[in-house]
Amino acid sequence: SEFAKAINKQLSGLVLEHREILALLAAGPKEQQELFALADAVRKRYVGDAVHLRGIIEFSNYCCRQCHYCGLRSANKDVKRYRLGEEDILLAVRRAVKVGLKTVVLQSGEDRFYSLEQLVRIVRLIKQSTGMAVTLSLGERSYSDYERLREAGADRYLLKQETSDEGLFVRLRPKTTLAGRVQCLKWLKELGFEIGSGNMVGLPGQSTGTLARDLELMRELDVDMAGIGPFIAHPQTPLAGMPGGTLDMTLKTLAVARLLMPEVNLPSTTALETLYPGGRKLALQCGANVVMPNITPVSCRRHYSIYPNKAGIKDEPEECLDSVKKLIAELGRVVGTDRGDRNKK
Ligand code: SAM
Ligand code: SF4
């Protein structure tokens, strides 16, 4: 079968091409077990048993964009908007240090309220006072903004390509283009950031071919991390009521990502846990090696409603971390003790 041929090519160490990637993504229920086992073995061999934890602080849910998939789009008037000030952000960071996290991810909508100077100051303060790795996820900005943030000490930047289908991209993200987003990723890489891209699995209008190209684009961009999670329809968006990504397709996409990019950092996403309780654990057995506990102050968290019923909405960082650590131990894995930079081979 095409699937068996693709697996054999992978085992012989050759670079998989589009149609082989497609064959792997089309794996049936029995074949996919073989795919998952192989991805787990590749994960173990290239990045080992460490699971790296990244504390994510969703510091503002204001956004000027209109992405059709996202509950934070500015046209959604039913969201209670919030912004954390510098003090609250630093408080959350200190709590993260206390529980032993080595990376903090600062994420927000595209919110121009924070001046570049303010963002630079926040990054600098975190770097000076904690030495943690700082990941930013602030959307599309200019080269010079990225440059200033890099100079301030930011280590990584998360900007998902979302979909590699240009037509679908412009339909879902008004006034932005795939080329523009990819340009941002290239700038970030040039500036020395570790870059994270990724996609949503199960977007309306997406085919298996699109998913294969999504992965090919991540490989081509040589991403250091790949955030792959299911699309979950939000009721107050133009995509309300649409079917979302499935557990199986998301796990297959993760597994193939691990085969194509053996040393990439691959998070097991909250979106997957939301779609299917226990999904986080399954992802860690299909190639994933990163978990991102939410350390946003609990009072704000439910308002960062990208999609409905987000998992872990009520857990304090300490509780959330305990359950993640238990899960990692159950799997016979260990919590990463260093920053968990990408292991470049
Ligand atoms: N505003 C920044 C951006 O768009 O890059 C960062 C925050 S944004 C909320 C983070 C990610 O949420 C996006 O990259 C997107 O993949 C994901 N997301 C948004 N709506 C989603 C949905 N309905 N289902 C699953 N993921 C979603
Ligand atoms: Fe804003 Fe990001 Fe949501 Fe798009 S995905 S509406 S840019 S927060």
Side-chain angles (χ1 to χ4, degrees):
S1 70
E2 291 300 312
F3 176 82
K5 274 193 233 159
I7 291 280
N8 284 332
K9 185 161 176 186
Q10 168 72 26
L11 288 171
S12 64
L14 295 168
V15 174
L16 298 186
E17 288 163 38
H18 183 73
R19 68 191 160 83
E20 288 135 4
I21 298 172
L22 257 179
L24 294 179
L25 291 172
K30 256 179 85 186
E31 291 169 333
Q32 75 182 23
Q33 294 310 322
E34 193 182 336
L35 171 65
F36 297 163
L38 183 56
D40 197 46
V42 170
R43 185 270 308 155
K44 192 175 172 75
R45 168 152 169 231
Y46 284 84
V47 295
D49 281 335
V51 177
H52 301 291
L53 305 183
R54 327 285 200 198
I56 178 162
I57 305 174
E58 299 152 339
F59 68 91
S60 162
N61 69 352
Y62 280 85
C63 189
C64 60
R65 300 270 188 208
Q66 294 301 345
C67 305
H68 285 201
Y69 41 81
C70 179
L72 301 186
R73 63 202 307 272
S74 67
N76 184 6
K77 303 296 177 208
D78 290 336
V79 202
K80 184 166 177 287
R81 305 282 172 172
Y82 70 85
R83 289 187 176 105
L84 296 186
E86 254 170 71
E87 279 306 307
D88 288 328
I89 295 175
L90 286 166
L91 220 63
V93 171
R94 279 196 279 277
R95 229 167 136 183
V97 174
K98 231 183 188 159
V99 294
L101 293 170
K102 307 278 189 288
T103 296
V104 69
V105 182
L106 300 181
Q107 190 179 78
S108 66
E110 293 203 12
D111 181 3
R112 300 294 144 149
F113 175 84
Y114 299 86
S115 66
L116 183 65
E117 283 60 41
Q118 201 172 3
L119 294 170
V120 160
R121 194 163 57 230
I122 294 169
V123 171
R124 219 178 256 139
L125 271 169
I126 299 174
K127 291 306 288 185
Q128 283 168 355
S129 61
T130 72
M132 279 182 128
V134 173
T135 304
L136 299 176
S137 181
L138 317 173
E140 296 175 36
R141 308 187 67 105
S142 67
Y143 180 88
S144 61
D145 281 9
Y146 289 148
E147 191 175 32
R148 292 278 310 282
L149 292 164
R150 177 74 186 136
E151 284 164 4
D155 302 276
R156 310 182 185 130
Y157 203 101
L158 201 57
L159 184 78
K160 291 168 56 167
Q161 74 207 32
E162 316 296 0
T163 176
S164 59
D165 176 333
E166 269 182 72
L168 186 58
F169 188 101
V170 296
R171 276 203 303 284
L172 295 181
R173 299 186 44 95
K175 300 198 177 128
T176 66
T177 63
L178 177 61
R181 202 142 170 111
V182 167
Q183 179 62 260
C184 287
L185 283 163
K186 289 183 174 162
W187 283 339
L188 290 160
K189 182 135 205 140
E190 190 184 312
L191 287 165
F193 283 94
E194 281 203 348
I195 59 166
S197 188
N199 65 348
M200 281 175 278
V201 175
L203 285 170
Q206 175 189 69
S207 65
T208 314
T210 320
L211 284 174
R213 276 187 296 276
D214 284 349
L215 292 168
E216 292 173 84
L217 178 57
M218 293 179 223
R219 178 173 67 182
E220 190 186 310
L221 291 169
D222 190 24
V223 299
D224 303 292
M225 48 194 161
I228 295 168
F231 159 68
I232 301 174
H234 188 292
Q236 271 114 25
T237 62
L239 299 184
M242 290 288 194
T246 64
L247 173 70
D248 281 1
M249 196 44 116
T250 307
L251 293 176
K252 285 192 281 183
T253 309
L254 274 168
V256 178
R258 175 58 69 201
L259 301 187
L260 298 184
M261 301 171 281
E263 75 303 331
V264 79
N265 277 323
L266 213 53
S268 165
T269 61
T270 305
L272 188 61
E273 184 67 25
T274 303
L275 172 71
Y276 184 90
R280 171 176 305 176
K281 183 173 183 182
L282 293 173
L284 286 168
Q285 297 170 287
C286 294
N289 71 323
V290 170
V291 175
M292 298 170 67
N294 195 329
I295 56 168
T296 308
V298 175
S299 58
C300 297
R301 221 180 279 172
R302 70 193 166 92
H303 304 300
Y304 201 80
S305 49
I306 316 175
Y307 47 78
N309 307 317
K310 208 154 137 212
I313 212 78
K314 289 195 288 280
D315 304 349
E316 291 292 340
E318 292 75 13
E319 301 166 64
C320 175
L321 217 75
D322 276 351
S323 69
V324 168
K325 284 182 177 162
K326 228 165 82 197
L327 171 64
I328 294 170
E330 256 169 53
L331 290 167
R333 307 265 281 275
V334 292
V335 176
T337 51
D338 57 17
R339 295 185 357 158
D341 289 331
R342 172 192 178 186
N343 181 11
K344 288 198 175 96
K345 285 255 155 65

